[in-house]
Amino acid sequence: LPYVRRTRGGNQPRRLHRSTGSFTAQVETTFQDQHDGDTKNVSSAAGILALRQDGIWNTTASLDAACSATVDFSTTAKPDQPPVPLRVAVSVLTGADKASRVIMTWTDPSGSLAAAGYPLNIWEDVGTA
């Protein structure tokens, strides 16, 4: 994903930021879905986050200035859809080994599935799609 900001030491997550007010790079990568136990493909271009599971479902959502988006899975063919739209925050985590990983943290802003802001799921970047 574009405009990755790395942290210096520690395991502090940092949000991806728009440095010019728009996303211009297009990157596609595979993420491990910790909740479902499978992989999803994610790309971003021009401020749009595209999510898909090959041959099953796909959707898009607009990224805001904090690299977050609201995703409504009810518009997809995804099995076991969440009953409410979810919020995803895209961040970079850098460990003491200096290796960085893009993570996507999913929450329910409505508070229906868990307290608003409480993480429901994490997708971790595991490589290029």
Side-chain angles (χ1 to χ4, degrees):
L1 293 170
Y3 307 115
V4 174
R5 294 193 60 185
R6 297 176 188 249
T7 60
R8 290 194 173 122
N11 289 326
Q12 300 300 319
R14 295 287 296 262
R15 299 244 185 244
L16 301 180
H17 293 279
R18 296 180 192 209
S19 63
T20 62
S22 66
F23 287 95
T24 55
Q26 183 172 355
V27 175
E28 184 166 351
T29 191
T30 301
F31 283 77
Q32 173 68 36
D33 179 334
Q34 302 301 309
H35 180 269
D36 292 351
D38 55 17
T39 58
K40 311 295 195 297
N41 293 316
V42 178
S43 63
S44 70
I48 302 296
L49 189 64
L51 305 109
R52 67 183 167 87
Q53 187 172 16
D54 288 338
I56 300 173
W57 61 268
N58 63 63
T59 191
T60 59
S62 296
L63 286 164
D64 63 21
C67 262
S68 294
T70 299
V71 180
D72 184 358
F73 288 102
S74 72
T75 63
T76 72
K78 182 183 187 311
D80 300 320
Q81 301 168 358
V84 295
L86 300 181
R87 190 86 178 141
V88 62
V90 183
S91 304
V92 175
L93 183 69
T94 303
D97 62 357
K98 307 291 187 214
S100 295
R101 290 272 191 210
V102 177
I103 59 170
M104 300 174 71
T105 305
W106 296 85
T107 59
D108 170 16
S110 75
S112 299
L113 302 173
Y118 188 84
L120 299 172
N121 192 6
I122 302 255
W123 292 6
E124 182 179 352
D125 170 12
V126 292
T128 302

